[in-house]
Amino acid sequence: MAQAQQLSKEEKLAQFNSMLDMDINEVEDLPEYATFPAGAYNFRCVGGVIDPEKGFVRFTFEKTGTAEIPDGTPAEEIPADGSLFGATFRGKVGVQLIKKMFGGIMNANNTPKIPEFVDSIENMNFVLVLSQREYDGKKFNDVAAAALM
């Protein structure tokens, strides 16, 4: 089962100290996550993780194209291909949302249990319909629907 990488305090400190001696050009770039205008986008899943201690499942997707956006959406608001989108599902409601969004795909792929699905989802191609909401002055996306490409 794919689980969140849990480093001890000592391991985190050792990782940090080893990076201090690296050439800055060797340091991995921080991934760029984007907020998408509401619409349908093509994505490739780059990974999934379950954190049983914090009670969430997270999927990370990379945009590979635009399927459909509302007329009048400014082109500059549409993130470039390669932009990342993360979807986190927490607690009981999160599991119910996973069932709603991905249950048909899970059953069709014979991965009806979430850990099996998380382990199999990497490199799958999806069309995700994203909604957009605002909270505390910031914009966020939610998955409204998902289909395999």
Side-chain angles (χ1 to χ4, degrees):
M1 169 173 46
Q3 292 195 5
Q5 183 178 1
Q6 301 292 326
L7 297 178
S8 69
K9 188 175 184 179
E10 294 80 17
E11 290 169 325
K12 288 178 184 177
L13 185 58
Q15 181 184 52
F16 171 77
N17 285 326
S18 70
M19 291 178 76
L20 292 176
D21 293 330
M22 293 173 69
D23 180 306
I24 197 68
N25 297 310
E26 295 173 357
V27 175
E28 184 178 336
D29 290 337
L30 191 62
E32 293 290 329
Y33 285 81
T35 303
F36 292 77
Y41 299 91
N42 301 331
F43 287 98
R44 178 182 66 84
C45 185
V46 295
V49 65
I50 298 171
D51 189 325
E53 291 182 16
K54 294 182 181 175
F56 69 79
V57 177
R58 178 180 301 131
F59 301 112
T60 302
F61 299 94
E62 178 183 33
K63 180 180 177 264
T64 59
T66 302
E68 184 177 339
I69 54 169
D71 289 339
T73 302
E76 63 272 7
E77 290 184 14
I78 301 168
D81 288 0
S83 297
L84 297 178
F85 166 69
T88 302
F89 300 89
R90 297 183 186 281
K92 178 183 176 184
V93 171
V95 172
Q96 291 169 323
L97 286 169
I98 289 171
K99 178 182 179 181
K100 181 179 179 181
M101 300 303 151
F102 298 103
I105 295 167
M106 293 168 70
N107 286 323
N109 286 334
N110 199 29
T111 54
K113 295 184 179 179
I114 291 174
E116 296 169 342
F117 183 60
V118 169
D119 287 343
S120 71
I121 195 169
E122 192 169 333
N123 292 316
M124 281 188 187
N125 293 302
F126 294 88
V127 174
L128 298 181
V129 177
L130 303 181
S131 61
Q132 190 182 82
R133 62 185 165 85
E134 193 168 320
Y135 176 77
D136 206 18
K138 296 180 183 175
K139 292 180 181 180
F140 297 90
N141 289 120
D142 294 305
V143 178
L148 281 176
M149 288 179 47

